[in-house]
Amino acid sequence: MLTVDALTKTYKTGDKALKAVAFTVPKGQVVGLIGPSGAGKSTLIRCINRLVEPTSGRVLLNDLDITALPGSGLRRARRRIGMIFQEYALVERLTVMENVLSGRLGYVGFWSSFLRRFPAEDIESAFRLLDRVGLMEHADKRADALSGGQRQRVGIARALAQDPELLLIDEPTASLDPKTSRQIMRLIVEICDERGLPAIINIHDVLLAQQFTQRIIGLRAGEVVFDGPPAALDEDVLTRIYGEEDWTAMRRSAEEDVAAERDAAERMAGMV
């Protein structure tokens, strides 16, 4: 379980990016983190694993107080937190398999990692992960030869190679088309369910968040202004989070996109 307790981030300019943010995420729950640009979503995710240092408050992962750890302890703790990035953060010149195995770098010695020599069990696990994310046949391809959706799947497999206790996912669909976005979200949710992993997904697409996550946390100006089930995210709540917008028209457009994609899939199936 993840516990965020009164987490605050104040920059040297005096700007408060986070204001006493508090919530818990139990085992296996996938949380969608939404809010306008500048609301503090990315800052929150990075404060949880201390890529950004919080000003005050606590972050606890199961029995471990991450905010109290010194450098060496923090490095060990980060092995327990899988991070999936919007821009994939892959090493382009390395193969898919090598990128996945990089998730094990925190567990092997310097020379083993430098020479990319990993234990047999790590390699076997990496093959299983590639199979799970649908990339087994791409294991020996360079990362720069992959599509955006395939790169994101490599990022998911790499994070899982850490054998994490928590996933932090920063805008995983921002660079993807609608169909691929739904496939990636579905994959993340299925894997979290299979492994009992709690996850926080920073996501701009409200409808994707509603469709795939079990809980929504809405941030505005560094404060939690909504925390509840996706079904409760009505027009009034969305206006509280984002401000005035024609939410009905936005939902209608997204539903039409999904229906068109479904119709196209059914036509293709009928041709086989």
Side-chain angles (χ1 to χ4, degrees), residues 215-233:
R215 173 182 169 196
I216 301 287
I217 293 177
L219 285 184
R220 183 179 179 93
E223 295 182 282
V224 175
V225 295
F226 175 80
D227 185 350
L233 203 64

Side-chain angles (χ1 to χ4, degrees), residues 84 102 123 131 150 176 204 256 269:
I84 300 170
S102 69
I123 296 171
D131 187 43
Q150 289 170 333
L176 306 177
H204 277 297
E256 288 171 355

Side-chain angles (χ1 to χ4, degrees), residues 41 54 59 74 92 103 119 128 131 138 141 159 175 178 181 202 204 207 225 248 253 272:
K41 304 186 298 300
V59 175
L74 178 60
E92 301 287 334
R128 288 194 296 272
D131 187 43
H138 300 289
K141 282 187 179 179
S175 304
S181 295
N202 171 15
H204 277 297
L207 294 178
V225 295
T248 301
S253 175
V272 175

Side-chain angles (χ1 to χ4, degrees), residues 37-59:
S37 297
K41 304 186 298 300
S42 292
T43 301
L44 174 57
I45 282 181
R46 283 163 169 77
C47 280
I48 288 172
N49 63 6
R50 285 179 59 191
L51 289 175
V52 170
E53 283 292 337
T55 304
S56 61
R58 295 193 306 162
V59 175

Side-chain angles (χ1 to χ4, degrees), residues 11 16 24 40 49 61 64 90-91 132 183 218 232 241 257 265:
Y11 289 105
K16 281 196 171 184
T24 61
N49 63 6
L61 181 57
L64 184 66
L90 305 181
V91 181
R132 179 61 188 87
Q183 291 172 341
I241 297 170
D257 288 344

Side-chain angles (χ1 to χ4, degrees), residues 88 135 146-154 156 175-176 180 184:
Y88 322 124
L135 290 178
L146 302 178
S147 68
Q150 289 170 333
R151 292 184 187 197
Q152 194 59 280
R153 289 172 185 268
V154 176
I156 294 169
S175 304
L176 306 177
T180 306
I184 291 298

Side-chain angles (χ1 to χ4, degrees), residues 230-246:
L233 203 64
D234 59 20
E235 281 75 10
D236 289 338
V237 172
L238 288 168
T239 298
R240 190 191 321 157
I241 297 170
Y242 290 98
E244 293 291 339
E245 181 58 82
D246 187 350

